[in-house]
Amino acid sequence: MASLAQLPQILQTLLTTATDAAGEASCLGKRPDRAKLTGRTWTQTLVWGWLAHPDATLEQLSQTASRLGVEVTPQSLDQRCDARAADCLRVLAAAVTEVVTADPVALPLLQRFPAVVVQDTTTITLPDALVAVWPSCGGRTPTMPHAALTCGVQLDRCTGALHGPFLASGRTHDQALPWPSAALPPGSLRLADLGFFDLHDLAALDAAGVYWRSKLRVGTVLTTAEGQRWEVLRADATEPNGLFTSPLVVPLSSPLGS
């Protein structure tokens, strides 16, 4: 597990040695033109160029390449935006899966747990040209994106450890993302939204001694051990269209319930 102080070294390795190896594996440098773009210079051109100017043109990107010692025309850069270049850039997935820690949050409430993991996802719309790689659930109407990327992260509020983002196509369900296989330590608390509400998963967390907190799906029925139904759902007049909401639920035996 790396700390923020080690992050510069991780990024330096990623944008030099790792990208050169990725460029060779994807045959990025085997081009008929004279531009000597390696995995390293190709990746650095895009990263530094778009980091400085998120809407950078091909002309601006070619100027970035020139500062890296590679003379390449905007047309040549455009021609290199193909499957081989995309395969080279997949090495950046190694960056987003690095586990990085920051200073922990010094809150007495959180210190009751060995870990307090917040788990969530977001969706990023992509150009339609990427639909074969990152298909979305949309595309049924002209206004819905055909391609999208689902990103998931886990953040431990006790240690500051960040896991992810974990990447998948936009049509991938939150629960199906490649989440870390390592189990949370007993006594931990997991916080997640309704996208992760699954009775089997919650039962597994409970069996492992991990507390969880979640809203309830509409239609969920809670009963006591004796089979008595527990009426917790309520109609909230402040919600649009009178939607049903529910209070957050956590096992009463947890440190939050004491």
Side-chain angles (χ1 to χ4, degrees), residues 76-103:
S76 181
L77 277 178
D78 184 48
Q79 293 171 359
R80 288 172 181 271
C81 295
D82 56 14
R84 281 181 289 184
D87 287 340
C88 177
L89 290 176
R90 283 181 180 271
V91 72
L92 294 180
V96 298
T97 55
E98 279 287 346
V99 178
V100 178
T101 61
D103 293 333

Side-chain angles (χ1 to χ4, degrees), residues 109 112-113 187-191 206 209-213 248-258:
L109 179 62
R112 302 182 184 186
F113 304 91
S188 300
L189 172 64
R190 194 201 72 169
L191 305 175
D206 186 65
V210 176
Y211 303 111
W212 52 268
R213 189 166 184 146
L248 293 174
V249 175
V250 66
L252 296 181
S253 60
S254 78
L256 284 180
S258 59

Side-chain angles (χ1 to χ4, degrees), residues 115 117 119 154 156 181-190 205 208-211:
V117 175
Q119 183 169 306
Q154 285 184 338
D156 186 348
S181 57
L184 296 175
S188 300
L189 172 64
R190 194 201 72 169
L205 290 173
V210 176
Y211 303 111

Side-chain angles (χ1 to χ4, degrees), residues 2-250:
S3 66
L4 288 178
Q6 297 170 305
L7 190 57
Q9 180 60 47
I10 294 174
L11 293 177
Q12 181 179 12
T13 301
L14 176 75
L15 294 175
T16 55
T17 308
T19 48
D20 274 343
E24 291 187 10
S26 62
C27 301
L28 179 69
K30 297 180 180 180
R31 301 276 182 167
D33 55 45
R34 297 181 179 179
K36 301 300 181 181
L37 274 175
T38 63
R40 176 186 310 205
T41 52
W42 164 250
T43 306
Q44 290 181 9
T45 294
L46 299 186
V47 171
W48 303 143
W50 279 324
L51 188 62
H53 304 285
D55 297 321
T57 63
L58 290 172
E59 179 68 33
Q60 291 172 313
L61 291 177
S62 67
Q63 294 173 5
T64 301
S66 178
R67 288 192 288 271
L68 293 171
V70 179
E71 297 300 326
V72 58
T73 65
Q75 294 77 13
S76 181
L77 277 178
D78 184 48
Q79 293 171 359
R80 288 172 181 271
C81 295
D82 56 14
R84 281 181 289 184
D87 287 340
C88 177
L89 290 176
R90 283 181 180 271
V91 72
L92 294 180
V96 298
T97 55
E98 279 287 346
V99 178
V100 178
T101 61
D103 293 333
V105 179
L107 294 178
L109 179 62
L110 299 185
Q111 292 172 353
R112 302 182 184 186
F113 304 91
V116 177
V117 175
V118 181
Q119 183 169 306
D120 203 359
T121 63
T122 189
T123 300
I124 301 174
T125 301
L126 300 175
D128 288 347
L130 296 175
V131 65
V133 182
W134 305 110
S136 74
C137 294
R140 293 183 293 273
T141 67
T143 60
M144 297 177 68
H146 292 75
L149 183 69
T150 298
C151 303
V153 295
Q154 285 184 338
L155 175 64
D156 186 348
R157 298 292 293 173
C158 289
T159 65
L162 175 68
H163 297 256
F166 307 101
L167 309 180
S169 68
R171 64 175 54 174
T172 303
H173 193 277
D174 291 352
Q175 298 177 23
L177 285 172
W179 298 106
S181 57
L184 296 175
S188 300
L189 172 64
R190 194 201 72 169
L191 305 175
D193 63 16
L194 281 176
F196 300 95
F197 187 87
D198 181 275
L199 293 179
H200 295 288
D201 290 343
L202 298 179
L205 290 173
D206 186 65
V210 176
Y211 303 111
W212 52 268
R213 189 166 184 146
S214 173
K215 287 186 175 181
L216 298 178
R217 283 184 178 172
V218 173
T220 301
V221 176
L222 298 181
T223 63
T224 65
E226 294 74 24
Q228 182 179 358
R229 183 162 175 158
W230 185 19
E231 300 290 349
V232 296
L233 295 181
R234 58 184 172 83
D236 192 337
T238 64
E239 291 288 338
N241 303 320
L243 294 177
F244 280 96
T245 61
S246 64
L248 293 174
V249 175
V250 66

